[in-house]
């Protein structure tokens, strides 16, 4: 990503503001660095998810990397968790993360919303849960496994608390009203998208953990000498699954109840005739209509995605 170049024309909109209020070269540089950080973050998240999925136990044991007749386990999540933490720390310390750009400057980075919503914390915590489950799958149930079960419970509680808080905040700001008129609040779209993405990542990682825990809790053991965990150790994960299903279902139900697609039709309802008369041009109304269409398409995709994820989440069991 070091070879990436910023081909955006950030000076296409002319302004007569004083130089101090115009986009500076330093701001352009920091804006570019923010976009690169966002791409790096997305890349690491996708790599972490793909690694987690690749760890799902196969019906037949892989005979490669054998040592005295037993497969040597590899735990790759630890490295990607460290890499994700480093990038999040770099984002948090970057001077452009909280910088305010000029009105006619480039759009704000998505990183502040990602940090404020603690979505990085959610991903790291859930990856740790997956990492610990992977360890328990191979390790015998001895005294050292108690720390891993405690770590799983603590991280699950953290994920549950953050997701509940983000869900409540989004639902509380889903609509806005003026008198008797209720409209979809466009400002909630970005945090809503980030929340839904985090929920999708959590569901995927929870599914991987379920596969490990199903083997541990069932009659099929990873190793014959592994007696499996006591029932009370799996209870926190079952409670987490129940809470996760409730949160996602509540979010989906809320979108249905407020008829989000219909409300988005009224999002930017304006007196177009008056607007055209004032501007002597139809370009303003065209811009509003395109923006309105964009909101409608976004909320439609969110609703469809939630529908499938709710069905998948309900299928997760131990």
């Amino acid at each position: 990503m070091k070879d990436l170049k910023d081909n955006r024309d950030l000076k296409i909109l002319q302004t007569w503001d004083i130089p101090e209020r115009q986009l500076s070269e330093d701001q352009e540089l920091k804006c570019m660095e923010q976009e690169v950080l966002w791409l790096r973050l997305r890349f690491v998240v996708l790599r972490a998810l793909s690694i987690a999925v690749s760890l799902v136990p196969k019906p037949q044991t892989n005979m490669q990397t054998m040592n005295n007749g037993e497969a040597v386990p590899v735990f790759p999540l630890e490295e990607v968790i460290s890499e994700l933490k480093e990038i999040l720390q770099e984002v948090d310390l970057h001077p452009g993360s909280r910088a305010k750009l000029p009105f006619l400057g480039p759009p704000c980075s998505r990183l502040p919303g990602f940090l404020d919503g603690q979505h990085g914390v959610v991903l790291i915590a859930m990856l740790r849960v997956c990492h610990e489950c992977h360890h328990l799958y191979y390790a015998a149930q001895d005294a050292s496994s108690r720390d891993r079960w405690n770590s799983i419970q603590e991280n699950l509680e953290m994920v549950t608390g953050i997701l509940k808080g983000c869900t409540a905040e989004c639902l509380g700001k889903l609509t806005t009203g003026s008198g008797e008129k209720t409209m979809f609040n466009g400002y909630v779209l970005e945090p809503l998208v980030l929340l839904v993405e985090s929920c999708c990542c959590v569901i995927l990682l929870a599914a991987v953990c379920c596969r490990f825990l199903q083997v541990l809790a069932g009659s099929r053991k990873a190793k014959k000498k592994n007696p499996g965990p006591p029932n009370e150790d799996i209870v926190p994960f079952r409670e987490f699954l129940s809470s996760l299903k409730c949160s996602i279902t509540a979010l989906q139900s809320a979108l249905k109840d407020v008829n989000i697609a219909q409300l988005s039709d009224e999002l930017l309802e304006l007196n177009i005739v008056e607007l055209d008369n004032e501007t002597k041009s139809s370009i303003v109304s065209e811009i509003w209509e395109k923006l309105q269409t964009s909101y409608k398409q976004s909320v439609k995709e969110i609703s469809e995605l939630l529908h499938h994820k709710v069905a998948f989440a309900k299928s997760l069991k131990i």
Side-chain angles (χ1 to χ4, degrees), residues 257-284:
D257 292 342
V258 299
N259 198 356
I260 202 73
Q262 181 178 347
L263 289 178
S264 61
D265 283 337
E266 303 174 358
L267 170 66
L268 299 170
E269 189 178 76
L270 298 171
N271 189 333
I272 302 299
V273 176
E274 181 180 349
L275 195 61
D276 290 344
N277 291 336
E278 290 181 359
T279 59
K280 305 298 182 183
S281 172
S282 62
I283 188 171
V284 176

Side-chain angles (χ1 to χ4, degrees), residues 4-10 32:
L4 289 177
K5 295 182 180 180
D6 192 352
N7 293 324
R8 297 174 298 174
D9 188 356
L10 301 179
M32 174 60 180

Side-chain angles (χ1 to χ4, degrees), residues 7 21-22 26 40 77 106 117 119 129-130 136-137 143 152 158 162 169 177 198 204 237 268 278 297 318:
N7 293 324
R21 296 175 60 182
Q22 295 184 22
D26 182 62
R40 286 175 55 198
L77 282 178
H119 300 288
V129 172
C130 196
L136 290 169
Y137 175 77
I152 289 175
M158 184 186 304
I162 294 175
E169 184 177 358
S198 290
L204 179 61
F237 197 88
L268 299 170
E278 290 181 359
Q297 183 64 28
I318 300 178

Side-chain angles (χ1 to χ4, degrees), residues 45-106:
V45 170
L46 290 175
R47 190 160 67 88
L49 294 176
S50 63
I51 290 175
V53 172
S54 69
L55 299 177
V56 173
K58 306 294 189 301
Q60 295 181 350
T61 305
N62 188 355
M63 299 305 293
Q64 296 178 355
T65 65
M66 298 293 287
N67 182 18
N68 295 328
E70 293 186 358
V72 178
V74 179
F75 305 103
L77 282 178
E78 191 169 2
E79 180 181 352
V80 76
I81 289 173
S82 299
E83 188 175 351
L84 182 57
K85 289 175 64 177
E86 290 176 2
I87 292 180
L88 288 173
Q89 185 177 12
E90 187 176 348
V91 169
D92 190 39
L93 297 176
H94 192 273
S97 295
R98 303 294 178 182
K100 188 175 181 180
L101 297 174
F103 179 73
L104 294 180

Side-chain angles (χ1 to χ4, degrees), residues 148-163:
R148 298 196 181 279
W149 286 113
N150 291 337
S151 175
I152 289 175
Q153 183 174 357
E154 291 173 1
N155 284 293
L156 289 178
E157 291 175 354
M158 184 186 304
V159 172
T160 301
I162 294 175
L163 290 183

Side-chain angles (χ1 to χ4, degrees), residues 5-233:
K5 295 182 180 180
D6 192 352
N7 293 324
R8 297 174 298 174
D9 188 356
L10 301 179
K11 299 186 182 297
I12 190 171
L13 296 176
Q14 296 294 324
T15 175
W16 287 268
D17 289 336
I18 57 176
E20 290 77 10
R21 296 175 60 182
Q22 295 184 22
L23 188 67
S24 64
E25 293 183 359
D26 182 62
Q27 288 175 322
E28 289 185 28
L29 177 61
K30 286 184 171 57
C31 179
M32 174 60 180
E33 292 173 350
Q34 288 275 291
E35 293 301 312
V36 173
L37 281 173
W38 176 254
L39 293 176
R40 286 175 55 198
L41 177 62
R42 303 288 280 186
F43 174 77
V44 174
V45 170
L46 290 175
R47 190 160 67 88
L49 294 176
S50 63
I51 290 175
V53 172
S54 69
L55 299 177
V56 173
K58 306 294 189 301
Q60 295 181 350
T61 305
N62 188 355
M63 299 305 293
Q64 296 178 355
T65 65
M66 298 293 287
N67 182 18
N68 295 328
E70 293 186 358
V72 178
V74 179
F75 305 103
L77 282 178
E78 191 169 2
E79 180 181 352
V80 76
I81 289 173
S82 299
E83 188 175 351
L84 182 57
K85 289 175 64 177
E86 290 176 2
I87 292 180
L88 288 173
Q89 185 177 12
E90 187 176 348
V91 169
D92 190 39
L93 297 176
H94 192 273
S97 295
R98 303 294 178 182
K100 188 175 181 180
L101 297 174
F103 179 73
L104 294 180
C108 296
S109 171
R110 288 156 286 189
L111 290 172
F114 190 87
L115 292 175
D116 294 341
Q118 294 186 289
H119 300 288
V121 177
V122 168
L123 286 172
I124 290 176
M126 203 61 206
L127 285 169
R128 282 176 175 163
V129 172
C130 196
H131 175 65
E132 300 293 3
C133 290
H134 189 209
H135 265 283
L136 290 169
Y137 175 77
Y138 284 101
Q141 295 297 316
D142 52 21
S144 62
S145 66
R146 172 51 47 196
D147 293 336
R148 298 196 181 279
W149 286 113
N150 291 337
S151 175
I152 289 175
Q153 183 174 357
E154 291 173 1
N155 284 293
L156 289 178
E157 291 175 354
M158 184 186 304
V159 172
T160 301
I162 294 175
L163 290 183
K164 281 185 176 180
C166 290
T167 302
E169 184 177 358
C170 284
L171 294 182
K173 299 178 180 178
L174 202 57
T175 58
T176 181
S178 177
E180 298 180 354
K181 190 174 182 180
T182 302
M183 296 183 297
F184 171 65
N185 182 10
Y187 290 104
V188 82
L189 186 58
E190 182 177 340
L192 181 62
V193 169
L194 291 173
L195 171 61
V196 172
E197 284 187 352
S198 290
C199 288
C200 292
C201 294
V202 169
I203 292 172
L204 179 61
L205 294 173
V208 175
C209 295
C210 282
R211 293 295 299 273
F212 289 127
L213 297 179
Q214 284 170 358
V215 177
L216 290 173
S219 58
R220 295 179 302 161
K221 303 298 186 298
K223 296 180 181 179
K224 292 182 180 180
K225 62 182 180 180
N226 189 347
N231 289 332
E232 58 268 19
D233 287 333

